[in-house]
Amino acid sequence: MLLGCLPGLAAVLALALCASGVERSAAASGRQGVARHAAPHKAARPHIVPRSVWLDDDTRHAQPPPRYDDRVVAVFVHHTDSPNRYDCADTPRIIRYLYAGQTGPRAWDDIGYNFLVDRCGTIYEGRAGGVDRPVTGAHTQGFNHRTAGIAALGTFTAGVPVPKKMTDAIAALAAWKLGLSDTDPRARVRLTSSNSHSRYAAGTSTTLPALAGHRDGYMTSCPGAALSALLPEIRERAARMQGRR
């Protein structure tokens, strides 16, 4: 009805725009209501053993409330540089030992890793604060913000076999955690260093893999040559778990 109020050419243009809009609307209807934006690529949450399973009252330290970022856009993979030939039933004891070392001699407020994965593929909650929340960890100096740390229990230097159950679990965990921010595990993301002891001076903005090894952000050989060599495969597997091609 308002077209009659528009003079000459303006009315024609408005009518063309209207027709174009009707065509787009019809096309969308023909696709049965396809969303305006692509659906987020999310993955199923894997089973995560809570920290109450490995942390007992005799080991627990008093600690401040957890700190949070706005989201997690990258994960760093680590190894714990500990023995590989352990019984998976002993994993809680091993994590407790790691926690005691980091909160005792190192005087950290909590275990640094957000998650830990054993050779049987069992995923454990590490740092407190909620596994589905963007908890600020203490795993990769300079790049603890907007990231999560996943530690593989063991030592995976060159030539050491990395259990497939472990890499499958790392892929599933990364797919789920990065999916919460719709981040492609194969992508590169922009992060800002907060500490000059990292590979980059404090305040430096750089791009790093969304699924990175510890050595991508810090001067270290962690997570070991054997596990590092598998990261491209883990990225692809995680992307497929998110439904990406």
Side-chain angles (χ1 to χ4, degrees):
M1 296 296 292
L2 293 176
L3 293 179
C5 300
L6 296 172
L9 181 58
V12 174
L13 290 173
L15 184 59
L17 289 171
C18 180
S20 174
V22 169
E23 289 176 0
R24 287 196 299 270
S25 177
S29 176
R31 293 192 300 270
Q32 297 182 340
V34 174
R36 183 183 299 270
H37 299 291
H41 294 84
K42 293 187 176 180
R45 170 179 162 170
H47 177 67
I48 301 170
V49 178
R51 62 190 260 128
S52 58
V53 168
W54 59 262
L55 185 58
D56 57 29
D57 291 336
D58 292 335
T59 312
R60 190 189 314 273
H61 283 252
Q63 62 185 67
R67 297 180 299 278
Y68 297 96
D69 291 296
D70 59 333
R71 55 182 174 153
V72 168
V73 298
V75 296
F76 282 95
V77 177
H78 305 255
H79 69 174
T80 54
D81 201 20
S82 53
N84 292 346
R85 295 184 179 180
Y86 54 87
D87 189 316
C88 290
D90 288 335
T91 297
R93 177 184 59 80
I94 296 169
I95 299 175
R96 193 159 52 247
Y97 174 80
L98 293 169
Y99 169 88
Q102 292 181 356
T103 59
R106 296 188 183 183
W108 294 3
D109 60 357
D110 194 0
I111 193 168
Y113 312 115
N114 299 95
F115 303 95
L116 301 99
V117 180
D118 71 12
R119 66 188 187 88
C120 294
T122 304
I123 302 169
Y124 289 82
E125 176 186 13
R127 197 168 182 84
V131 295
D132 57 344
R133 300 188 65 186
V135 178
T136 306
H139 51 85
T140 306
Q141 194 167 65
F143 294 101
N144 289 313
H145 293 287
R146 307 186 89 191
T147 70
I150 302 174
L153 286 173
T155 302
F156 300 104
T157 49
V160 176
V162 184
K164 186 175 185 301
K165 288 182 179 179
M166 174 178 275
T167 57
D168 284 348
I170 292 172
L173 179 57
W176 168 69
K177 195 65 179 176
L178 292 175
L180 297 178
S181 62
D182 199 18
T183 300
D184 188 332
R186 303 164 300 185
R188 295 183 69 85
V189 296
R190 185 161 293 279
L191 297 171
T192 301
S193 173
S194 62
N195 192 307
S196 294
H197 291 297
S198 74
R199 286 192 180 276
Y200 303 88
T204 301
S205 179
T206 187
T207 57
L208 295 172
L211 201 165
H214 186 188
R215 66 185 189 180
D216 288 311
Y218 185 70
M219 291 74 71
T220 178
S221 61
C222 179
L227 184 49
S228 294
L230 295 176
L231 290 181
E233 178 184 329
I234 294 172
R235 291 182 189 111
E236 289 295 333
R237 199 176 314 160
R240 290 195 299 271
M241 290 177 177
Q242 288 185 346
R244 300 181 190 270
R245 295 183 179 181

